[in-house]
Amino acid sequence: MDSFKHPVLQCRGLNKSYGRHHVIKDLDLELSPGRIVGLVGPNGAGKTTLIKLICSLLTAQSGQILIGGHPVGAGSKALVSYLPERTYLADWMKVADALELFADFYADFDREKALDMLARLSVDPKARFKTLSKGTREKVQLVLVMSRKALLYVLDEPIGGVDPAARDYILSTILTNYNEEGTILISTHLISDVETVLDEAIFLKDGQIVLHKSVDEIRQEEGKSVDELFREVFKC
Amino acid sequence: MLIKLLKYEFRSTSRTFGLVYLIMMVLCTLTGLLDQASELLSAYSSIFVTLLMVTALFFFGAVVITTVLNIGRFQKGVFGDEGYLLHTLPVHVWEIIASKLIAALVWTLGTVLVMGLSLFVMILASSAISLSNVGFFFRSLIQFVSAADPTVLTQFLLSIGLMLAMLITLILQVYASISLGHLFPSHRTAWAVVIFFLLNMIQDFFFKLTVFRLTPTIYADPSGLLSFSYAFGEINMAVNELSPLTPSVFLFYLAAGALLWLCSQLVLSKRLNLE
């Protein structure tokens, strides 16, 4: 199956609840290739849950997810490059081990590109993860994720909790390294920082999409920036 | 992909196990040498006794480390932070379970083997037996095996297979308990422990219901106190005929293992909830 002939992501009638708490409600979503899409919403809106469903870290109660036409499974995972909001690389690993792991499992991983990015960060590939600071670990994870030529990049709060300088580095790394035939889905609270790079924005509220438009449409139709509209829609 | 998963599974634990095995060998060698020395100089006796106790404690510790590491590798690797990487790798769920199972099996057998080897080294170092005696022992063993009744050998191999099946089932029982415990919203480890004992009881019930029913004339037990050890007792008793119980026990553990695997497989593929 040629993954690039299908929408990058299709979610149909997606539902997810924790006990009685309905986190994702009948969600339908379709993403086209070559887009940078911001997934925004207040805390508890269901952003991370939706991302975990897409990355098959959670299972939905009902509904369907297709990635490049593939149902969620080993086939779809080969197409998704996921950056979680936590560090997932084991302490025993050296940076070089992580590179080897990605090269072993992902056919689209570019080791040279990763080594180049690490060199620019002055990260020694022989360093063990347990000796690296939390910030450096997160940057190494970003390097790994962005060194893939994936169909869909799913980045969960990549610039949350980092200083402005690191934010700039992270955003420039994303923008200069992603596969332009693929799509980036980026969840964030810091809309003003990413607004300039977004093609589309998805507003998520109480597990439902309340808005999914291109950034240009938002500016033309609403006469506001994405950040301004966000503040208006999610006003407390 | 299974081979690749195994590569990282072994890499993650080889340093710890390597260190444990090395310490075990060194302790046993020193204990053996001190035993020999204490025969010549009584001042070494108390050191020898202390070291012997330390070695015995370390053997116990090695069993605990093996158990804890094997359980931890599944719990943390599959349901902890590392699971965020594992479940986003393009691998099938069966490959994840198989890699964990194979690694746990190899390390468990490795610990037993190194324990045996360490004891052997200790005996050699203490000069309780000489190298020529060791050679004689192995020559005699080979002669005994080659002259033995093929039925006895078959029974021996079957009993080895049975022990492996029991070990595999035990590991899968731990995995199934952790996986089923994951279905609860909180106190997942506590639930896993409860489920482990529940699964034990269910297995025990079905063992008595099926295995002994299959061979009622030989193993009818009016007291109802039959235990797994019967299977081994029977194996030891068998000299000239194949035990009728061994294949049924083997099949029982095979079926139990398959069902326990299925539990983990279903939870990981249909009910995974990494929070």
Side-chain angles (χ1 to χ4, degrees), chain B residues 137-236:
Chain B
F137 170 76
F138 280 111
R139 278 196 300 277
S140 306
L141 187 70
I142 290 163
Q143 272 174 8
F144 174 76
V145 169
S146 50
D149 189 317
T151 321
V152 176
L153 284 179
T154 312
Q155 184 66 59
F156 176 74
L157 290 175
L158 262 174
S159 61
I160 296 281
L162 179 59
M163 277 189 274
L164 273 176
M166 288 173 84
L167 179 60
I168 289 169
T169 306
L170 180 66
I171 296 168
L172 287 170
Q173 189 180 330
V174 172
Y175 291 177
S177 307
I178 295 169
S179 302
L180 291 170
H182 178 76
L183 297 176
F184 291 86
S186 57
H187 304 104
R188 287 172 169 173
T189 306
W191 277 114
V193 174
V194 171
I195 291 165
F196 180 83
F197 287 109
L198 275 175
L199 288 174
N200 229 20
M201 286 163 67
I202 294 167
Q203 244 188 94
D204 201 20
F205 173 77
F206 280 103
F207 189 90
K208 287 168 185 167
L209 196 72
T210 55
V211 174
F212 294 119
R213 282 272 172 88
L214 287 174
T215 50
T217 49
I218 308 168
Y219 297 99
D221 178 25
S223 69
L225 293 172
L226 280 169
S227 68
F228 301 145
S229 60
Y230 256 66
F232 292 109
E234 149 56 25
I235 289 161
N236 294 335

Side-chain angles (χ1 to χ4, degrees), chain B residues 24-169:
Chain B
M24 221 153 36
M25 290 292 276
V26 169
L27 274 175
C28 282
T29 310
L30 284 176
T31 310
L33 289 172
L34 268 171
D35 180 31
Q36 198 181 3
S38 64
E39 283 172 17
L40 302 170
L41 202 64
S42 59
Y44 287 119
S45 296
S46 58
I47 306 172
F48 163 70
V49 173
T50 311
L51 200 61
L52 193 62
M53 283 169 69
V54 170
T55 307
L57 272 175
F58 194 81
F59 268 53
F60 175 72
V63 174
V64 173
I65 290 169
T66 305
T67 311
V68 169
L69 271 181
N70 282 339
I71 295 172
R73 279 304 304 156
F74 189 80
Q75 194 166 27
K76 285 183 187 170
V78 176
F79 296 110
D81 283 356
E82 287 175 42
Y84 280 75
L85 176 62
L86 184 65
H87 293 293
T88 47
L89 294 175
V91 296
H92 297 281
V93 168
W94 73 263
E95 290 172 313
I96 293 175
I97 302 172
S99 67
K100 300 282 175 193
L101 174 66
I102 293 167
L105 193 65
V106 167
W107 288 127
T108 307
L109 294 175
T111 301
V112 172
L113 199 73
V114 174
M115 275 179 171
L117 205 65
S118 303
L119 284 173
F120 183 67
V121 168
M122 185 162 77
I123 294 167
L124 269 185
S126 69
S127 294
I129 54 168
S130 66
L131 273 174
S132 57
N133 285 341
V134 175
F136 176 72
F137 170 76
F138 280 111
R139 278 196 300 277
S140 306
L141 187 70
I142 290 163
Q143 272 174 8
F144 174 76
V145 169
S146 50
D149 189 317
T151 321
V152 176
L153 284 179
T154 312
Q155 184 66 59
F156 176 74
L157 290 175
L158 262 174
S159 61
I160 296 281
L162 179 59
M163 277 189 274
L164 273 176
M166 288 173 84
L167 179 60
I168 289 169
T169 306

